[in-house]
Amino acid sequence: MIFRKLSKTAFVAVLTAAIFISAFSVDAGSLNDRIKKGDSIRIGFANEIPWAYPGENNKPLGFVNAYILGVLKTMGYTNIEPVVTEWGGLIPGLKANRFDIITGGMYILNSRCQNIAFSEPMGQVTDAFIVKKGNPEGIKDYKDIVKKGAVLATGAGYNTIEAAKKEGVPADKIMVVPGPTEILAAVKAGRAAAGGMTYFTALNLAEESNDAVEVTDPAALPDWTLNYVGIGFRKTDKDFLKKFNEAQKKYLGTPEMMESVKEYGYTKSQLPGNVKTEWVCNNR
């Protein structure tokens, strides 16, 4: 037994930690309970320009943050607390009650639907690669990466990891780094031939790179890489999610909403249409 190998002091420490974690979980409660107590709604996001990113004093910027602040406001909620983390920590942080909602611009994927609940889609977005200016290796899609034995850089927790493997890219040719800054650095330094990410993120990195990289045509990627963006919730907060979806249905695509996201590049072409989360969870 493992406890027999622990000293008395260590055993007490483990027991105390277990009691603390249990107490914390109970105290965390549902999002509805937190709101009733007057607690803030904690929104979690990473530094993913222009999706969601922190401004001065962690002010929530980006089109997904602007969008969700608008939806919550129509619901009567303005007591919002931003929580910034790395992309790979969003789902674990949500499940661990570090925050209540993921606003980071997360694709609805079957693998993610197993762990969290998503709102109905708020957008549809394609992926793309960044490559060195002029695309010297001629990489347009995942098959080109396979043929050339090239390295693809992408972010921890990104959907492009699954997509690359599905298209036959060997695991040892997928360089997983923390986020966009590191992807750009890998491509510029030649450690990766391409960087995989959302089209919005790729455009932003190309602009930041001072003409060092360019963005490939997203239409060159398979049709199934067209993805739908949702807001993430804990599965235990489905009552709140139901109210959120009702408010979102009235807000999505309104002039007020479109004006709030305009500066970040979100346009009517990104509206999701009539696609439902249940379908997306089963088909992406």
Side-chain angles (χ1 to χ4, degrees), residues 16 20 28 41 49 51 84 104 117 128 131 176 206 224 278 284:
T16 301
F20 173 78
I41 297 177
I49 302 172
W51 296 82
V84 183
V131 294
V176 181
W224 55 262
E278 182 179 3
R284 286 295 184 267

Side-chain angles (χ1 to χ4, degrees), residues 152-170:
L152 172 74
T154 192
Y158 280 25
N159 67 295
T160 39
I161 298 174
E162 290 184 27
K165 291 178 178 178
K166 183 175 179 178
E167 287 289 284
V169 179

Side-chain angles (χ1 to χ4, degrees), residues 21 24-25 28 42 89-100 115-116 234:
I21 291 171
F24 174 80
S25 298
R42 301 163 300 175
L90 287 173
I91 290 179
L94 179 67
K95 295 178 72 174
N97 291 302
R98 284 193 57 222
F99 34 83
D100 306 301
N115 291 289
I116 64 174
R234 283 184 292 274

Side-chain angles (χ1 to χ4, degrees), residues 172-195:
D172 63 354
K173 294 297 183 181
I174 303 173
M175 179 190 297
V176 181
V177 297
T181 301
E182 293 80 9
I183 295 174
L184 177 59
V187 173
K188 288 175 67 175
R191 293 185 288 114

